[in-house]
Amino acid sequence: MTNELYTLTRQFDRAIVPVIKETPSGMSLLPLNTDYRGLGKSAVRVPQYQARGSARIGFEIMKTAGDGVDLLGFDTKIAVIQDDATIKRTDWEAFIENGVPISNDLAMDMTKNIQATVDDLIYQGWAQNATTYDIKGLFQVAGTATTGADFGTFGNALKSVNAAIADLEDAGVYSPGHILALNKTQYSQLGSSISSGVVELTEVLKALGTGGRVVKNSRVTVDYGLCFPAPLDVNRPYFDIVETVPPFHDVYFADNSKTADIKVRQLTRLGVRFKHQTSSGTGTDTAVSKISSI
């Protein structure tokens, strides 16, 4: 019986791979960091460099020491995200005795539930008491404010994006490419914005640069947008997703009885590090621009 549990676990683990790779999700928005593996990892340190003086120009190598590096930091919490389901014992026995395969649909459905919850975490964050955020997502952490213009008018989307990128650069956040995250309302307006044969979406994508793209998600509040550096290696100093445990299945008997049902649990563990956040780890981050009035 234990061998069958192992076989089903492997079957489910293989089934979720294409779902994870092919389904667009918040995981694709920020650089992925897999250096901190371990189910017991409950927090990870966020190094935070304090402001330093500018570089200097001269005609000789200067002997005087530069300013010191004041390394502060804070811990960001690593969340456990899981989904649980039950396989009836009669279905399990059919799998064992008759070779009737248990559908992978269950595993894939659990993966979609996991991904939806991960998107909640990345876009908005999570508050255990439903009020104060224990983990802030992109929308809640945005610390650069950009005033945009109604996307219903041709040209306003491009103006808003260029303004957001300029505001990020004014805050010292430079990137060869950016992500623009929109609610479905503004996404639809942008996709329909055409004048004299000019497709505004095409121009916006040019402005977003290398690796830049426009994404749609209802977790972005309507009439707002988010603009932030694209998930390129060069942008790791701004933020990353720390995945300590990739999604996997745990398949086990509900109890020790001979007629116990089979329990299936899919689990992953991750956190989001915003490295320009205030020292408390619960403030805002200038590397994310919130565009209003669009």
Side-chain angles (χ1 to χ4, degrees):
M1 297 291 279
T2 302
N3 288 338
E4 283 80 2
L5 282 175
Y6 176 75
T7 298
L8 187 60
T9 301
R10 292 290 301 275
Q11 173 188 320
F12 281 175
D13 281 349
R14 287 193 298 268
I16 68 175
V17 171
V19 179
I20 292 171
K21 288 184 176 180
E22 295 173 12
T23 305
S25 72
M27 291 288 289
S28 67
L29 300 182
L30 307 177
L32 181 64
N33 187 327
T34 59
D35 293 339
Y36 302 89
R37 288 302 198 198
L39 185 59
K41 182 72 70 174
S42 61
V44 65
R45 194 70 175 169
V46 180
Q48 188 180 46
Y49 291 96
Q50 296 301 96
R52 298 179 57 246
S54 60
R56 290 172 288 176
I57 298 176
F59 292 107
E60 300 289 343
I61 297 176
M62 301 176 194
K63 306 299 182 182
T64 57
D67 57 327
V69 176
D70 186 11
L71 262 180
L72 296 179
F74 52 86
D75 289 336
T76 188
K77 296 178 181 178
I78 303 296
V80 174
I81 303 170
Q82 70 183 68
D83 190 24
D84 293 78
T86 301
I87 300 175
K88 292 181 180 179
R89 186 54 183 260
T90 51
D91 293 337
W92 172 256
E93 292 300 334
F95 171 68
I96 298 299
E97 297 173 9
N98 305 316
V100 177
I102 295 177
S103 174
N104 289 334
D105 290 352
L106 172 61
M108 291 187 286
D109 185 66
M110 296 175 80
T111 300
K112 289 178 179 178
N113 285 345
I114 291 284
Q115 284 193 330
T117 303
V118 168
D119 274 8
D120 289 339
L121 181 70
I122 292 172
Y123 276 101
Q124 289 287 344
W126 180 70
Q128 188 170 16
N129 63 5
T131 302
T132 304
Y133 281 89
D134 298 272
I135 302 174
K136 283 190 172 184
L138 288 161
F139 195 84
Q140 300 299 328
V141 84
T144 295
T146 298
T147 301
D150 185 0
F151 275 29
T153 299
F154 179 84
N156 281 350
L158 183 58
K159 292 177 183 176
S160 300
V161 167
N162 284 328
I165 293 173
D167 288 341
L168 287 171
E169 291 177 348
D170 286 346
V173 179
Y174 295 91
S175 172
H178 295 81
I179 298 293
L180 175 65
L182 300 172
N183 182 276
K184 61 182 180 180
T185 299
Q186 278 67 51
Y187 185 90
S188 177
Q189 289 175 329
L190 175 57
S192 305
S193 185
I194 303 173
S195 178
S196 302
V198 177
V199 179
E200 188 168 17
L201 175 58
T202 301
E203 301 306 310
V204 166
L205 288 172
K206 290 178 183 177
L208 291 174
T210 304
R213 64 186 191 276
V214 182
V215 297
K216 173 181 63 174
N217 199 291
S218 60
R219 294 167 183 83
V220 179
T221 303
V222 67
D223 297 330
Y224 284 89
L226 296 171
C227 186
F228 50 92
L232 308 171
D233 281 342
V234 70
N235 290 330
R236 289 184 181 275
Y238 297 125
F239 37 51
D240 59 9
I241 295 173
V242 179
E243 183 188 67
T244 62
V245 179
F248 75 98
H249 284 88
D250 185 17
V251 183
Y252 58 96
F253 291 106
D255 56 48
N256 293 322
S257 72
K258 295 181 179 180
T259 57
D261 288 335
I262 308 303
K263 292 290 186 180
V264 181
R265 171 174 295 153
Q266 188 178 139
L267 184 147
T268 186
R269 190 158 201 181
L270 57 88
V272 186
R273 293 195 300 181
F274 294 101
K275 300 176 185 179
H276 282 61
Q277 207 174 161
T278 54
S279 59
S280 65
T282 57
T284 57
D285 191 312
T286 55
V288 183
S289 171
K290 183 184 292 184
I291 312 172
S292 61
S293 304
I294 63 173

